[in-house]
Amino acid sequence: EAGVTQFPSHSVIEKGQTVTLRCDPISGHDNLYWYRRVMGKEIKFLLHFVKESKQDESGMPNNRFLAERTGGTYSTLKVQPAELEDSGVYFCASSDAWEGDTQYFGPGTRLTVL
Amino acid sequence: EDKVVQSPLSLVVHEGDTVTLNCSYEVTNFRSLLWYKQEKKAPTFLFMLTSSGIEKKSGRLSSILDKKELFSILNITATQTGDSAVYLCAEPVYNQGGKLIFGQGTELSVKP
């Protein structure tokens, strides 16, 4: 069974540009989460989808971040316009409602904003 | 506010040593505690603990939870260089969709 995949693995952009990150969860997982790790800090929650609906977006830093999960399968996270402080590693995780709290993580996208 | 604190933040040992990593938590309505291992890429799931005093074991790794004192430990015996990684402890937040609160992680380096 394929795990959680993310694309791209690394993105380098200039301040003011737009970047879109993609996450493909494990097939059949209704729950999809986005997290971010900024250098030197712990991994922090951004938002949670249940199927195509946003369940909790309390961790989204500001309105420059837009997440979607059309059709309840893959998800995208767009940052527009990117700022220097958006640099970090963006992780996606998915979980099955039947497995309790265990979330399975993707390899992350390392975003560098210059 | 829910919080997870790990110690030490980094640790260097030699192959064959035994290590103990600590995780303390302050959460309302405890549900479970999760341990992950992160090498270069994705954090990989190790254990989920829900009950006090019951050890979870997988090969040389084991973990136990103390709900009274609000902490968990992760033990690795006979360490190998392949155990070098960041070990993460996390709590799902009750009634908030299970989003995880992470500790800072413990960076373990095992020298030959």
Side-chain angles (χ1 to χ4, degrees):
Chain A
E1 178 184 284
V4 178
T5 58
Q6 294 186 244
F7 182 83
S9 58
H10 194 178
S11 179
V12 180
I13 60 172
E14 293 194 350
K15 176 181 169 180
Q17 290 187 319
T18 297
V19 63
T20 299
L21 314 181
R22 173 170 170 145
C23 167
D24 286 78
I26 292 172
S27 178
H29 280 192
D30 287 341
N31 293 296
L32 187 151
Y33 302 83
W34 283 98
Y35 294 88
R36 177 174 74 172
R37 185 169 200 164
V38 173
M39 187 176 296
K41 304 278 189 178
E42 65 270 23
I43 297 173
K44 287 202 170 175
F45 168 80
L46 296 177
L47 88 159
H48 171 209
F49 284 99
V50 177
K51 297 185 181 178
E52 67 274 9
S53 300
K54 288 177 188 173
Q55 182 79 9
D56 179 358
E57 49 185 330
S58 61
M60 294 286 261
N62 50 60
N63 60 10
R64 294 186 293 102
F65 289 74
L66 175 65
E68 294 180 327
R69 193 183 181 194
T70 308
T73 54
Y74 71 91
S75 174
T76 57
L77 179 64
K78 183 161 73 172
V79 185
Q80 178 184 29
E83 297 288 344
L84 299 179
E85 64 265 24
D86 300 333
S87 296
V89 181
Y90 290 76
F91 291 102
C92 175
S94 71
S95 72
D96 182 334
W98 303 108
E99 282 194 74
D101 297 322
T102 304
Q103 296 180 22
Y104 298 93
F105 281 78
T109 293
R110 180 175 295 278
L111 174 64
T112 303
V113 182
L114 303 176
Chain B
E1 184 179 326
D2 294 351
K3 192 175 177 181
V4 176
V5 177
Q6 293 185 246
S7 65
L9 294 182
S10 65
L11 191 55
V12 180
V13 300
H14 288 94
E15 274 191 314
D17 288 349
T18 293
V19 297
T20 298
L21 311 183
N22 303 293
C23 175
S24 63
Y25 60 91
E26 296 173 24
V27 294
T28 51
N29 298 306
F30 175 85
R31 197 158 85 180
S32 65
L33 183 144
L34 305 173
W35 282 98
Y36 287 87
K37 175 184 180 182
Q38 184 181 18
E39 295 175 86
K40 294 200 184 302
K41 296 285 187 178
T44 53
F45 172 73
L46 293 175
F47 300 112
M48 181 173 76
L49 303 159
T50 55
S51 302
S52 256
I54 297 177
E55 184 182 56
K56 291 277 183 95
K57 199 169 170 65
S58 176
R60 295 176 295 102
L61 276 67
S62 64
S63 184
I64 198 161
L65 177 70
D66 185 328
K67 287 164 76 171
K68 183 180 176 185
E69 299 298 329
L70 307 183
F71 76 89
S72 174
I73 59 172
L74 176 68
N75 277 320
I76 309 175
T77 58
T79 51
Q80 302 171 357
T81 55
D83 296 326
S84 296
V86 175
Y87 290 84
L88 300 164
C89 174
E91 284 285 339
V93 179
Y94 183 69
N95 266 351
Q96 291 188 38
K99 70 179 186 185
L100 298 177
I101 305 292
F102 281 89
Q104 313 96 304
T106 294
E107 184 172 10
L108 174 65
S109 178
V110 182
K111 303 293 187 189

